Amino acid sequence: MKNNLRIALISKDCELSSQLSIHIESKGHQVIVFNNESLVLGYIYSDPSDIIIINFQFSETNFHGLISEIKKDCYFGTIPIIGLIDENTHNNIEWKDCPIDDFITLPFKYNELFSRISLAKNRIQRIFDNNPLTKLPGNTSIQKAIENTIGAPMSVCYLDINNFKPYNDTFGFTRGDEVIRMTARIISNAVRQTGDGGFAGHIGGDDFVFIVKNESAEFVCKTIINNFNIIASDLFEEEVKHKGFYIAKDRQGNENKIYLLTLAIAVVPMNTPQINHYGKVAEIAAELKKYAKKFTESKYVINRRKR
Amino acid sequence: MGNKVNEIKRIVQDTKSLPTLPGIVLKISKLAEDDKSSVNEIARLISSDHILSAKVLKLVNSPFYGFSGRVSTISNALILLGVNVIRSLALSSSIFEIMEKSVVGLWEHSFGAAVAANTIAKILQLPDAEEISTAALLHDIGKAIIKIKLEEDYNQLISIIKEKDISMIDAEHEFLGTGHPEIGEWIARTWFLPEKLIEPIACHHNVKKSVIHKTKTAAVHLADILVKASDFGFSGDDIVPRIQTEAWDKLDLNEKILEEIVQETEDRLIEAKNFSLEIQTSGEKQS
Ligand SMILES: [Fe+2]
Ligand SMILES: [Fe+2]
């Protein structure tokens, strides 16, 4: 286990909190104690901890809002949450609504708690194939998510950034990585804002996938394009923004006119008979994207063919 | 003196968050969730508050997100963080228990400066208008640090100002050995805010000192003077400084255009006053 973990402890029981703190600190970790849940999110968002421990004992809330808020965000969702539960609470918890990673029954042995912490951290690393750059789920999760939506009134949307490679080559990979991270946030926020689930994943490089309900697809595409244009325009100097392109040398030393960063999105509704397996989705999307990329501005194209 | 400056630097480094007015937080908590119009309203509320804005910009520029300290406007922060994160961040902010006159005064002064800066940017057609307003909103963040983290020193400063009839910044240099622009710069650097915002904060009392973002600094300098001249809010003293020549030159001002700016600012500060009263009364109802 990585030493010096930062552990957020949410517990009404002050005696337990101070005992736990001493034990945790004696192992070289750091504890931040919260007596109630109201300040937790703001804290986690501004200074994320490595583990969250929630004491469900003596608490009138079930921490549902807090837990789902953290777990729904791809950045914070990978922080393991461990519940402290007493004999009586077991039956009261609806596990479906309580997506924590593990629990331990009170009273517990400290050795067991530390093992659980270690296990939870490792398990999260095992099940998540998240992209290290964007923290969005990777290809295994994407394939699973697409397969699960075959036949459903959902749209699988493939997105990539036009002119990303020359941007990366001209301004360096640090700036390139920034664009990728920003794009990831823009996509996952837009998907999340629809309020009815959805999925956002990162294939790799400048290729992303997101899945939303058919009726939200156009709105989400527009939001993503709009927000991307706002963010991307801030990446260029005033003069370049004005002209709409910059001059860059390619690997052979030839000077090329490079247009600014834009998006191409291929939207594939999944409830048509034409789509019967995972590979077909990617195939259709590739065709649509070829068309979307013919434009110099950002474009989304929806698959209208029924067979 | 040296010790005092070091002490302040240490306090700045340890400052993770600052309290804000209850009225703003209350208003944000009342907005319905996931409603498109409420997203803009949340952005507007946050953009009126120097503490919350600093907090949001601190988060979006933190190394955790990996945007390399580039994000300098609240609307971009909202796009990148998402409305849920911003809402939770605002709602979990600590608030002032008592609405002290000096706290409300500084809040109004900062908000008023942002309004004035926005007017200046619009009339002079300066690029990056939103960044200029944000920089103006944050320009006296150093004073907030003194007021909140060095309460005794702040009170001392106020009595020195009254006694000697000098400006806040002169009193600061005399008594603390440093000034709020420096303190503001330290906190802005500690919180990884972009250079575009740091320079106007650090140089708004000395435009000459600014190197890269001189136009923004000049606009913020002018905005600060205009709110003071309009007697809007309270920034620690009542002295209205002169517009520095560097600012005149950089903004290419003349009497006529300045008059237009002053007029428009006055008009918009009336609206701002109404908003401020709304915030103050909703904060009082709370307690
Ligand atoms: Fe100032
Ligand atoms: Fe000021």
Side-chain angles (χ1 to χ4, degrees), chain A residues 42 45 178 181 185 189 234, chain B residues 59 66 68 70 76 80-81 92:
Chain A
Y45 287 157
E178 245 170 67
R181 284 198 196 95
R185 272 318 278 190
N189 291 334
D234 271 6
Chain B
L59 176 59
S68 335
R70 275 184 173 281
N76 285 8
L80 293 170
L81 293 177
S92 63

Side-chain angles (χ1 to χ4, degrees), chain B residues 109 139-141 143 168-169 172 180-181 201 204-205 224 228 235:
Chain B
H109 172 71
H139 80 280
D140 274 344
I141 193 80
K143 282 185 189 168
M168 179 94 174
I169 190 157
E172 287 163 353
H180 68 271
I201 293 172
H204 70 275
H205 286 282
D224 182 29
K228 293 190 88 176
S235 69

Side-chain angles (χ1 to χ4, degrees), chain B residues 241-255:
Chain B
R242 297 182 60 94
I243 301 170
Q244 292 171 0
T245 354
E246 287 76 16
W248 268 102
D249 296 347
K250 193 69 209 176
L251 297 175
D252 205 10
L253 288 176
N254 58 50
E255 304 288 336

Side-chain angles (χ1 to χ4, degrees), chain B residues 197-216:
Chain B
L197 300 178
I198 294 178
E199 232 184 73
I201 293 172
C203 309
H204 70 275
H205 286 282
N206 187 2
V207 180
K208 230 189 314 191
K209 234 177 70 192
S210 104
V211 201
I212 311 161
H213 302 289
K214 218 173 185 124
T215 309
K216 291 186 179 73

